Amino acid sequence: MSRRRRYVRRLSEAEVRELKKGERKARTLGERNRIRIVLLSAQGLAIKDIAGLLSVSVHTVIRALNRFERDGIVGLKEGRHTGRPPKIPP
């Protein structure tokens, strides 16, 4: 049984520029990886290949693509976390 390949929709030049800019300015590795996942998918790489290239799970790739399709570029940014904020010793 063959599986249908899944890619993000075709990205405009403005979206690609914004994603590349966001990749450089990302505050966390997770945020940077989510942006890379979208860019690699737009280039035609399969989910399994992206997961191997970035050393993340297939599930992580699928979640990132779903977030992008649902919320756009804003959905790739790191959200607020619950819990106590980290303390940095003086």
Side-chain angles (χ1 to χ4, degrees):
M1 181 172 153
S2 71
R3 297 184 122 184
R4 191 174 72 87
R5 290 186 180 243
R6 179 173 170 223
Y7 307 103
V8 293
R9 61 177 167 70
R10 187 176 179 98
L11 302 177
S12 69
E13 288 182 31
E15 286 177 313
V16 171
R17 277 195 308 272
E18 190 173 344
L19 285 167
K20 287 183 178 181
K21 180 179 175 184
E23 183 181 11
R24 287 189 306 272
K25 293 187 175 195
R27 291 181 291 188
T28 65
L29 179 61
E31 192 174 317
R32 185 173 291 122
N33 276 344
R34 285 189 293 276
I35 293 169
R36 286 178 181 164
I37 286 167
V38 172
L39 289 170
L40 291 170
S41 178
Q43 292 175 9
L45 266 69
I47 291 174
K48 192 174 184 181
D49 296 334
I50 295 170
L53 189 64
L54 298 178
S55 298
V56 297
S57 70
V58 169
H59 182 68
T60 298
V61 175
I62 291 169
R63 278 193 348 231
L65 295 177
N66 287 341
R67 282 175 72 166
F68 179 73
E69 289 171 354
R70 185 184 65 234
D71 303 323
I73 295 172
V74 174
L76 302 176
K77 303 242 184 257
E78 194 71 33
R80 294 187 58 73
H81 296 279
T82 60
R84 183 178 180 174
K87 285 190 170 185
I88 300 173

